[in-house]
Amino acid sequence: MADILDGKALAQTLQTDLAQQIAKIKAAGGRSPGLAVLMVGDNPASAAYVRNKERACEKLGMVSLGKHFPANTTQAELSQVIDELNHDDRVDGILVQLPLPDHLDSVALLNQIHPDKDADGLHPMNLGRLVRGEVGLQSCTPAGVMKLLEEYHIDPRGKHAVVIGRSILVGKPLGLMLLAQDATVTMAHSRTPDLPAVARSADILVAAVGRPNLITADMVKPGAVVIDVGINRITDDGGGRLVGDVDFASVKDVASWITPVPGGVGPMTVTMLMANTVWSYLRRVAG
């Protein structure tokens, strides 16, 4: 049976370290790092994510400078707010909570965030730095995955990593991060011929598609490391529960390591957002 990659426990450890770092900054007369999360509309899932981020800020001693907007907020109004935050010295990280209502151009808004305040690591300049192997803010979920592998001494070097899912949020940046650690990376997706065979070739298999229980035991090489990035809410027996893209019940008997859902990659995403904000603060304020 697979060992568990416990993202919840690692996130707690990292957040404790961040809280101590922030306490030292404040004790030395510095200000608290500030994070501004912008949310538009009343999407229940987005609201829950934003609450988690705001609670994490409070827990760590950071300042939450988030703003919630009605669903009919215009592109120009949001653009003006981002410009103000870019010039606000209290703000070290800015994040636009996705998805946005259909009438808004999310790409244009994300590109307007100053690269050095881009807490989610999605600005083209930060993605370019990732491609070039340069220092910069990195996308939170992929960075959390890499932290998990590091914590459990799983070295990607020389391994075949298969990433299923090619989004700009997870799949593409994670592929680059694994490549930087000397893995041989295959990017797979819904149009990949014979996806089960490609998945079975992986030493490290990452599922980041958003389809419940897509990865079954017959798609996993015995002894592979399985990272489940998916978070899907399904309803059965009159109630709802969260499941990943991996059929955990069957795959855990084949893999050597596996992330649970919930409690795997999810807690790491929020923690890396906090870490990015603190890193940005230190770069901007402490030099």
Side-chain angles (χ1 to χ4, degrees), residues 203-217:
D203 302 306
I204 300 173
L205 179 62
V206 182
V209 180
R211 287 180 55 189
N213 300 321
L214 171 69
I215 306 301
T216 52

Side-chain angles (χ1 to χ4, degrees), residues 197-236:
V198 173
R200 278 194 300 272
S201 70
D203 302 306
I204 300 173
L205 179 62
V206 182
V209 180
R211 287 180 55 189
N213 300 321
L214 171 69
I215 306 301
T216 52
D218 62 319
M219 297 173 68
V220 178
K221 177 197 289 188
V225 176
V226 178
I227 307 292
D228 191 351
V229 180
I231 300 178
N232 310 286
R233 182 171 293 278
I234 62 172
T235 302
D236 54 10

Side-chain angles (χ1 to χ4, degrees), residues 108-211:
L109 293 170
L110 292 173
N111 289 353
Q112 188 183 344
I113 296 171
H114 192 288
D116 293 339
K117 293 189 177 186
D118 172 32
D120 221 11
L122 296 178
H123 191 281
M125 185 172 289
N126 285 321
L127 291 170
R129 288 166 175 161
L130 179 60
V131 170
R132 293 173 59 88
E134 298 173 356
V135 173
L137 291 163
Q138 296 188 343
S139 186
C140 300
T141 298
V145 170
M146 298 306 293
K147 273 287 186 185
L148 268 174
L149 295 177
E150 178 186 347
E151 173 69 13
Y152 287 91
H153 306 291
I154 298 168
D155 188 355
R157 182 179 292 110
K159 302 292 195 306
H160 182 205
V162 174
V163 180
I164 304 177
R166 52 184 168 177
S167 74
I168 200 68
L169 285 169
V170 180
K172 288 177 181 176
L174 181 55
L176 290 167
M177 292 177 193
L178 288 163
L179 190 62
Q181 294 294 317
D182 298 323
T184 297
V185 179
T186 296
M187 298 296 300
H189 45 81
S190 60
R191 297 180 183 272
T192 298
D194 200 356
L195 181 60
V198 173
R200 278 194 300 272
S201 70
D203 302 306
I204 300 173
L205 179 62
V206 182
V209 180
R211 287 180 55 189

